[in-house]
Amino acid sequence: MSLDTWINLLIASFFISLSPGAGAITTINQSIRYGFKKSMYSIMGLQVGYGVQIVLVSIGIGLLVTSNELLFVSIKWLGVAYLVALGVQQWTSKSEHVDLAHNQSTKKFTAYSHFLKAGFINLLNLKATVLLIVFIPLFIQPELDQINQVSIILVTLLMVDVVIMLGYATLASYVGKWIENDKIKYLNRTTGTVLILVGISIGYQL
């Protein structure tokens, strides 16, 4: 994988994770309710679910690369269009709900159940699956070693997501009371703008 390709991957994955989706909202809610340390179980669960999705999608894409080059290129262009459309959607979509009413909840905390719940949130997230199907091919070069490229993509996506989720958990645990749902739209618009620009940049390089 070339350095330019990896930088585009890093930027795109950063802002995709930064966008307040199901994983981010789960992390924020858990940190507000139970505190930063206990939110780690949810973050770990999210990464396991996300990692399994990435591996499964990558296996399918690997088969596609060797069997149908035209379809693979078509999916790359679909991925460019999807990134731009996702950016536009971030501008127009309503914010997902952050629960501010249960700070340090007295409800019994079970690490195992929160880990599993978070894992399934990412594993069964069809929106994330569709995103990965059109996102991963953007950074795959058929002439290079597939396992090496997929490994770089897997590690990059997971490490970026961990950093973002830790940031959300830290923010929520210390200043959760200042988080307002109507202000999340500004974060959505920022991530939307960057995703549009990254999509256009990748399309220019195809």
Side-chain angles (χ1 to χ4, degrees), residues 23 26 30 41-47 49-50 112-123:
T26 297
Q30 291 300 304
Y41 295 101
S42 292
I43 292 175
M44 289 188 292
L46 288 170
Q47 302 317 309
Y50 193 28
Y112 180 72
S113 65
H114 282 79
F115 174 85
L116 283 181
K117 181 179 178 181
F120 280 110
I121 284 174
N122 264 354
L123 183 60

mmCIF file of all heavy atoms in Angstrom, residues 23 26 30 41-47 49-50 112-123:
data_model
loop_
_atom_site.group_PDB
_atom_site.id
_atom_site.type_symbol
_atom_site.label_atom_id
_atom_site.label_comp_id
_atom_site.label_asym_id
_atom_site.label_seq_id
_atom_site.Cartn_x
_atom_site.Cartn_y
_atom_site.Cartn_z
ATOM 1 N N GLY A 23 -21.835 3.279 17.499
ATOM 2 C CA GLY A 23 -20.720 2.996 18.408
ATOM 3 C C GLY A 23 -20.367 4.177 19.277
ATOM 4 O O GLY A 23 -20.153 4.041 20.488
ATOM 5 N N THR A 26 -23.084 4.770 21.882
ATOM 6 C CA THR A 26 -22.988 3.743 22.932
ATOM 7 C C THR A 26 -21.868 4.090 23.911
ATOM 8 O O THR A 26 -22.047 4.026 25.137
ATOM 9 C CB THR A 26 -22.707 2.362 22.314
ATOM 10 O OG1 THR A 26 -23.796 1.986 21.475
ATOM 11 C CG2 THR A 26 -22.523 1.301 23.398
ATOM 12 N N GLN A 30 -22.425 5.052 27.862
ATOM 13 C CA GLN A 30 -21.845 4.194 28.894
ATOM 14 C C GLN A 30 -20.912 4.991 29.808
ATOM 15 O O GLN A 30 -20.887 4.774 31.020
ATOM 16 C CB GLN A 30 -21.079 3.040 28.237
ATOM 17 C CG GLN A 30 -21.952 2.023 27.534
ATOM 18 C CD GLN A 30 -22.930 1.358 28.481
ATOM 19 O OE1 GLN A 30 -22.535 0.778 29.492
ATOM 20 N NE2 GLN A 30 -24.206 1.440 28.169
ATOM 21 N N TYR A 41 -15.186 -1.654 28.660
ATOM 22 C CA TYR A 41 -15.743 -2.946 28.248
ATOM 23 C C TYR A 41 -16.589 -2.785 26.984
ATOM 24 O O TYR A 41 -16.547 -3.634 26.087
ATOM 25 C CB TYR A 41 -16.584 -3.546 29.380
ATOM 26 C CG TYR A 41 -15.759 -3.887 30.600
ATOM 27 C CD1 TYR A 41 -15.745 -3.050 31.717
ATOM 28 C CD2 TYR A 41 -14.974 -5.033 30.631
ATOM 29 C CE1 TYR A 41 -14.980 -3.354 32.832
ATOM 30 C CE2 TYR A 41 -14.206 -5.348 31.747
ATOM 31 C CZ TYR A 41 -14.218 -4.503 32.838
ATOM 32 O OH TYR A 41 -13.441 -4.807 33.936
ATOM 33 N N SER A 42 -17.327 -1.711 26.918
ATOM 34 C CA SER A 42 -18.123 -1.448 25.722
ATOM 35 C C SER A 42 -17.230 -1.133 24.528
ATOM 36 O O SER A 42 -17.487 -1.594 23.409
ATOM 37 C CB SER A 42 -19.092 -0.277 25.970
ATOM 38 O OG SER A 42 -20.079 -0.627 26.904
ATOM 39 N N ILE A 43 -16.165 -0.367 24.753
ATOM 40 C CA ILE A 43 -15.244 -0.031 23.669
ATOM 41 C C ILE A 43 -14.572 -1.290 23.121
ATOM 42 O O ILE A 43 -14.446 -1.467 21.904
ATOM 43 C CB ILE A 43 -14.185 0.983 24.150
ATOM 44 C CG1 ILE A 43 -14.849 2.338 24.449
ATOM 45 C CG2 ILE A 43 -13.076 1.155 23.116
ATOM 46 C CD1 ILE A 43 -13.921 3.372 25.044
ATOM 47 N N MET A 44 -14.163 -2.198 24.015
ATOM 48 C CA MET A 44 -13.553 -3.450 23.565
ATOM 49 C C MET A 44 -14.546 -4.283 22.772
ATOM 50 O O MET A 44 -14.201 -4.884 21.740
ATOM 51 C CB MET A 44 -13.018 -4.236 24.766
ATOM 52 C CG MET A 44 -11.782 -3.636 25.412
ATOM 53 S SD MET A 44 -11.048 -4.708 26.686
ATOM 54 C CE MET A 44 -12.322 -4.632 27.954
ATOM 55 N N GLY A 45 -15.772 -4.328 23.243
ATOM 56 C CA GLY A 45 -16.800 -5.080 22.530
ATOM 57 C C GLY A 45 -17.053 -4.511 21.148
ATOM 58 O O GLY A 45 -17.202 -5.252 20.167
ATOM 59 N N LEU A 46 -17.102 -3.192 21.061
ATOM 60 C CA LEU A 46 -17.300 -2.534 19.762
ATOM 61 C C LEU A 46 -16.194 -2.912 18.784
ATOM 62 O O LEU A 46 -16.456 -3.157 17.602
ATOM 63 C CB LEU A 46 -17.331 -1.013 19.946
ATOM 64 C CG LEU A 46 -18.576 -0.416 20.619
ATOM 65 C CD1 LEU A 46 -18.340 1.054 20.947
ATOM 66 C CD2 LEU A 46 -19.802 -0.565 19.724
ATOM 67 N N GLN A 47 -14.952 -2.989 19.259
ATOM 68 C CA GLN A 47 -13.833 -3.300 18.375
ATOM 69 C C GLN A 47 -13.869 -4.748 17.905
ATOM 70 O O GLN A 47 -13.509 -5.051 16.757
ATOM 71 C CB GLN A 47 -12.496 -3.001 19.071
ATOM 72 C CG GLN A 47 -12.329 -1.573 19.535
ATOM 73 C CD GLN A 47 -12.807 -0.554 18.520
ATOM 74 O OE1 GLN A 47 -12.430 -0.588 17.349
ATOM 75 N NE2 GLN A 47 -13.655 0.367 18.961
ATOM 76 N N GLY A 49 -16.617 -6.576 17.457
ATOM 77 C CA GLY A 49 -17.658 -6.626 16.438
ATOM 78 C C GLY A 49 -17.210 -5.987 15.137
ATOM 79 O O GLY A 49 -17.454 -6.516 14.044
ATOM 80 N N TYR A 50 -16.551 -4.852 15.242
ATOM 81 C CA TYR A 50 -16.056 -4.126 14.075
ATOM 82 C C TYR A 50 -14.993 -4.945 13.349
ATOM 83 O O TYR A 50 -14.998 -5.054 12.112
ATOM 84 C CB TYR A 50 -15.471 -2.793 14.547
ATOM 85 C CG TYR A 50 -15.181 -1.769 13.472
ATOM 86 C CD1 TYR A 50 -15.887 -1.731 12.274
ATOM 87 C CD2 TYR A 50 -14.175 -0.814 13.675
ATOM 88 C CE1 TYR A 50 -15.609 -0.770 11.307
ATOM 89 C CE2 TYR A 50 -13.898 0.156 12.717
ATOM 90 C CZ TYR A 50 -14.613 0.175 11.543
ATOM 91 O OH TYR A 50 -14.343 1.121 10.591
ATOM 92 N N TYR A 112 -19.398 -8.275 31.389
ATOM 93 C CA TYR A 112 -19.585 -9.245 30.308
ATOM 94 C C TYR A 112 -20.769 -8.873 29.423
ATOM 95 O O TYR A 112 -20.678 -8.923 28.186
ATOM 96 C CB TYR A 112 -19.788 -10.632 30.918
ATOM 97 C CG TYR A 112 -19.999 -11.735 29.904
ATOM 98 C CD1 TYR A 112 -18.936 -12.180 29.114
ATOM 99 C CD2 TYR A 112 -21.250 -12.327 29.742
ATOM 100 C CE1 TYR A 112 -19.122 -13.199 28.190
ATOM 101 C CE2 TYR A 112 -21.442 -13.338 28.813
ATOM 102 C CZ TYR A 112 -20.375 -13.772 28.040
ATOM 103 O OH TYR A 112 -20.560 -14.772 27.117
ATOM 104 N N SER A 113 -21.876 -8.487 30.041
ATOM 105 C CA SER A 113 -23.071 -8.160 29.265
ATOM 106 C C SER A 113 -22.877 -6.898 28.428
ATOM 107 O O SER A 113 -23.337 -6.809 27.289
ATOM 108 C CB SER A 113 -24.289 -8.000 30.181
ATOM 109 O OG SER A 113 -24.120 -6.887 31.048
ATOM 110 N N HIS A 114 -22.168 -5.929 28.983
ATOM 111 C CA HIS A 114 -21.916 -4.700 28.237
ATOM 112 C C HIS A 114 -20.934 -4.944 27.086
ATOM 113 O O HIS A 114 -21.068 -4.344 26.020
ATOM 114 C CB HIS A 114 -21.374 -3.608 29.173
ATOM 115 C CG HIS A 114 -22.430 -2.956 29.998
ATOM 116 N ND1 HIS A 114 -22.939 -3.538 31.132
ATOM 117 C CD2 HIS A 114 -23.104 -1.787 29.835
ATOM 118 C CE1 HIS A 114 -23.859 -2.751 31.651
ATOM 119 N NE2 HIS A 114 -23.986 -1.688 30.887
ATOM 120 N N PHE A 115 -19.967 -5.835 27.302
ATOM 121 C CA PHE A 115 -19.031 -6.208 26.246
ATOM 122 C C PHE A 115 -19.772 -6.872 25.089
ATOM 123 O O PHE A 115 -19.580 -6.511 23.918
ATOM 124 C CB PHE A 115 -17.968 -7.148 26.813
ATOM 125 C CG PHE A 115 -17.024 -7.706 25.788
ATOM 126 C CD1 PHE A 115 -15.899 -6.995 25.401
ATOM 127 C CD2 PHE A 115 -17.263 -8.952 25.214
ATOM 128 C CE1 PHE A 115 -15.029 -7.508 24.455
ATOM 129 C CE2 PHE A 115 -16.396 -9.469 24.267
ATOM 130 C CZ PHE A 115 -15.268 -8.755 23.891
ATOM 131 N N LEU A 116 -20.617 -7.845 25.410
ATOM 132 C CA LEU A 116 -21.372 -8.562 24.384
ATOM 133 C C LEU A 116 -22.346 -7.637 23.646
ATOM 134 O O LEU A 116 -22.448 -7.680 22.412
ATOM 135 C CB LEU A 116 -22.145 -9.727 25.002
ATOM 136 C CG LEU A 116 -21.352 -10.975 25.360
ATOM 137 C CD1 LEU A 116 -22.291 -12.033 25.936
ATOM 138 C CD2 LEU A 116 -20.628 -11.530 24.133
ATOM 139 N N LYS A 117 -23.039 -6.820 24.394
ATOM 140 C CA LYS A 117 -24.010 -5.907 23.790
ATOM 141 C C LYS A 117 -23.326 -4.971 22.796
ATOM 142 O O LYS A 117 -23.812 -4.769 21.672
ATOM 143 C CB LYS A 117 -24.711 -5.085 24.874
ATOM 144 C CG LYS A 117 -25.759 -4.123 24.334
ATOM 145 C CD LYS A 117 -26.430 -3.356 25.463
ATOM 146 C CE LYS A 117 -27.451 -2.367 24.903
ATOM 147 N NZ LYS A 117 -28.092 -1.591 26.008
ATOM 148 N N ALA A 118 -22.196 -4.410 23.189
ATOM 149 C CA ALA A 118 -21.466 -3.499 22.306
ATOM 150 C C ALA A 118 -20.944 -4.235 21.077
ATOM 151 O O ALA A 118 -20.982 -3.707 19.959
ATOM 152 C CB ALA A 118 -20.307 -2.850 23.061
ATOM 153 N N GLY A 119 -20.473 -5.476 21.279
ATOM 154 C CA GLY A 119 -19.978 -6.261 20.154
ATOM 155 C C GLY A 119 -21.047 -6.492 19.107
ATOM 156 O O GLY A 119 -20.806 -6.342 17.905
ATOM 157 N N PHE A 120 -22.238 -6.838 19.550
ATOM 158 C CA PHE A 120 -23.336 -7.099 18.618
ATOM 159 C C PHE A 120 -23.848 -5.814 17.971
ATOM 160 O O PHE A 120 -24.374 -5.850 16.855
ATOM 161 C CB PHE A 120 -24.474 -7.840 19.326
ATOM 162 C CG PHE A 120 -24.230 -9.317 19.464
ATOM 163 C CD1 PHE A 120 -23.968 -9.878 20.704
ATOM 164 C CD2 PHE A 120 -24.238 -10.130 18.340
ATOM 165 C CE1 PHE A 120 -23.724 -11.243 20.821
ATOM 166 C CE2 PHE A 120 -23.996 -11.498 18.445
ATOM 167 C CZ PHE A 120 -23.735 -12.058 19.697
ATOM 168 N N ILE A 121 -23.712 -4.695 18.669
ATOM 169 C CA ILE A 121 -24.114 -3.412 18.078
ATOM 170 C C ILE A 121 -23.335 -3.163 16.794
ATOM 171 O O ILE A 121 -23.895 -2.766 15.767
ATOM 172 C CB ILE A 121 -23.906 -2.254 19.076
ATOM 173 C CG1 ILE A 121 -25.001 -2.270 20.134
ATOM 174 C CG2 ILE A 121 -23.896 -0.895 18.353
ATOM 175 C CD1 ILE A 121 -24.817 -1.257 21.238
ATOM 176 N N ASN A 122 -22.025 -3.411 16.814
ATOM 177 C CA ASN A 122 -21.208 -3.223 15.612
ATOM 178 C C ASN A 122 -21.341 -4.383 14.633
ATOM 179 O O ASN A 122 -21.406 -4.183 13.418
ATOM 180 C CB ASN A 122 -19.737 -3.029 15.985
ATOM 181 C CG ASN A 122 -19.352 -1.567 16.055
ATOM 182 O OD1 ASN A 122 -20.129 -0.678 15.728
ATOM 183 N ND2 ASN A 122 -18.144 -1.292 16.496
ATOM 184 N N LEU A 123 -21.379 -5.597 15.148
ATOM 185 C CA LEU A 123 -21.428 -6.774 14.286
ATOM 186 C C LEU A 123 -22.700 -6.809 13.441
ATOM 187 O O LEU A 123 -22.673 -7.209 12.272
ATOM 188 C CB LEU A 123 -21.335 -8.047 15.127
ATOM 189 C CG LEU A 123 -21.294 -9.367 14.361
ATOM 190 C CD1 LEU A 123 -20.078 -9.417 13.440
ATOM 191 C CD2 LEU A 123 -21.276 -10.540 15.332
#
